[in-house]
């Protein structure tokens, strides 16, 4: 099992999109709109840009998260975000 590359920072760019910097220096803009457009768990993020902008970096950089209407954490892990970022970057490279 490989070690999880932790994140250093997260910043909302626009509704549904974040910029992430990992501790190994990799930086990426990650489009989460396809994920948050489905499922009841993400409804609060779809309804409010302000709520989406309230994204937080979890302790030790293993995840990013938001607090839903009940105060529960809705999160994305560092490893899945990194895979998504690399896939999205590959798609953009292939398209250009």
């Amino acid at each position: 099992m490989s070690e999880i590359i932790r994140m250093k920072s997260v910043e909302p760019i626009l509704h549904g999109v974040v910029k992430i910097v990992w501790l190994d220096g990799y930086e990426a803009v990650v489009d989460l709109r396809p994920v948050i457009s489905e499922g009841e768990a993400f409804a609060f993020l779809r309804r409010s840009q302000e709520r989406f902008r309230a994204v937080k970096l979890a302790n030790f950089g293993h995840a990013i998260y938001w607090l839903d209407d009940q105060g529960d954490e809705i999160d994305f892990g560092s490893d899945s975000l990194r895979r998504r970022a690399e896939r999205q970057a590959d798609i953009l490279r292939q398209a250009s």
Side-chain angles (χ1 to χ4, degrees):
M1 184 170 165
S2 63
E3 182 177 334
I4 294 174
I5 301 170
R6 295 181 296 143
M7 295 173 285
K8 179 179 178 180
S9 65
V10 61
E11 173 187 355
I13 301 298
L14 54 98
H15 193 77
V17 181
V18 292
K19 178 182 179 188
I20 300 172
V21 178
W22 280 263
L23 289 175
D24 67 355
Y26 186 79
E27 296 183 26
V29 173
V30 183
D31 187 353
L32 297 172
R33 293 175 292 188
V35 179
I36 66 173
S37 69
E38 299 180 11
E40 190 57 34
F42 302 112
F44 75 102
L45 294 176
R46 290 191 298 269
R47 289 191 303 264
S48 170
Q49 291 185 24
E50 184 176 316
R51 296 288 294 273
F52 185 82
R53 286 192 304 265
V55 63
K56 304 282 186 232
L57 183 65
N59 288 343
F60 310 111
H62 292 288
I64 63 172
Y65 71 93
W66 295 264
L67 295 178
D68 70 7
D69 296 333
Q70 289 74 40
D72 296 323
E73 286 185 11
I74 303 300
D75 64 2
F76 289 91
S78 179
D79 53 345
S80 66
L81 288 166
R82 180 67 171 256
R83 284 191 304 273
R84 181 175 295 277
E86 290 171 349
R87 263 194 324 268
Q88 290 176 358
D90 284 343
I91 291 168
L92 287 174
R93 273 193 294 276
Q94 292 172 11
S96 55

